[in-house]
């Protein structure tokens, strides 16, 4: 998938907006996931006591996922393809993560960035972050 300098810059800008308040946006992210998929609570041990923004595991996992999508955009711009760690594929295949679950996380991810970016949100930005997420998800699933 071809990815332009502009698209990469848009994804980087969204990442910076998320990083400006990771606890706040982590709450938006997990709350959105749990609304659509309450069973996700059982997948992540750090959600056992609810969505607690002072739990470093909770924010750390969110930061890692958002950072990987940003890396995905950089890879797309550099080479037009995303390669995921074998370990990343292994974790998700072991947990038998489904396409439906990838979609729930994607929707929560886009919603969170929309809130973080505020009035700088655009169709072009939405499209760029969606492509970066979808290509990363495809790279993870390749390992199944
Ligand atoms: C673990 C990233 C989608 C469920 C991980 C880890 C990473 C990661 C980096 C291992 C390291 C860590 O624990 O921080 C991603 C990315 C995704 C994605 C980039 C999308 C592009 C999903 C989806 C689900 C899921 C859709 C299902 C709801 C899990 C589970 C673990 C995990 C259950 C193991 C957690 C644990 O027990 O520590 N993911 N993930 N992931 N992921 Fe994902
Ligand atoms: C999927 N994989 C790893 C970490 C995550 C954090 C929040 C939501 C989904 C995730």
């Amino acid at each position: 998938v071809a990815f332009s300098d502009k698209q990469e810059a848009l994804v980087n800008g969204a990442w910076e907006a998320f990083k400006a308040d990771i606890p706040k946006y982590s709450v938006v992210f997990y709350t959105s996931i749990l609304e659509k998929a309450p069973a996700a609570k059982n997948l992540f041990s750090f959600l056992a006591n609810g969505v607690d923004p002072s739990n470093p595991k909770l924010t750390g996992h969110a930061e890692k996922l958002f950072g990987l999508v940003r890396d995905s955009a950089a890879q797309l711009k550099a080479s037009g393809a995303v390669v995921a760690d074998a370990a990343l594929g292994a974790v998700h295949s072991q947990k038998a993560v489904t396409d439906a679950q990838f979609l729930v996380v994607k929707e929560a991810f886009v919603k969170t960035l929309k809130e973080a970016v505020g009035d700088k949100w655009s169709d072009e930005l939405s499209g760029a972050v969606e492509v970066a997420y979808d290509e990363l998800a495809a790279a993870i699933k390749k390992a199944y």
Side-chain angles (χ1 to χ4, degrees):
V1 180
F3 215 65
S4 67
D5 287 355
K6 170 129 192 243
Q7 284 175 302
E8 192 201 7
L10 287 167
V11 175
N12 282 339
W15 160 249
E16 295 298 333
F18 169 76
K19 273 213 309 193
D21 195 340
I22 291 174
K24 174 179 169 184
Y25 298 124
S26 293
V27 171
V28 175
F29 183 52
Y30 289 105
T31 303
S32 169
I33 289 172
L34 290 172
E35 265 168 28
K36 288 181 187 129
K41 195 173 173 179
N42 308 316
L43 279 176
F44 300 104
S45 55
F46 51 82
L47 293 179
N49 301 313
V51 182
D52 171 8
S54 69
N55 180 346
K57 284 202 173 151
L58 187 148
T59 49
H61 275 76
E63 183 176 4
K64 186 142 194 204
L65 186 145
F66 280 65
L68 282 169
V69 178
R70 180 190 189 234
D71 292 347
S72 164
Q75 286 191 52
L76 285 172
K77 208 213 74 181
S79 72
V82 180
V83 178
D85 251 44
L88 205 51
V91 171
H92 295 91
S93 74
Q94 238 157 44
K95 302 269 177 184
V97 177
T98 64
D99 286 349
Q101 289 173 313
F102 272 102
L103 186 59
V104 168
V105 171
K106 177 185 177 180
E107 287 174 354
F109 174 75
V110 172
K111 182 184 168 180
T112 303
L113 290 179
K114 189 172 182 187
E115 186 162 329
V117 165
D119 58 13
K120 286 193 193 127
W121 189 255
S122 65
D123 288 349
E124 203 180 1
L125 173 47
S126 182
V129 298
E130 286 184 51
V131 170
Y133 178 94
D134 285 342
E135 292 297 313
L136 174 59
I140 292 172
K141 285 188 267 183
K142 258 194 196 166
Y144 287 29

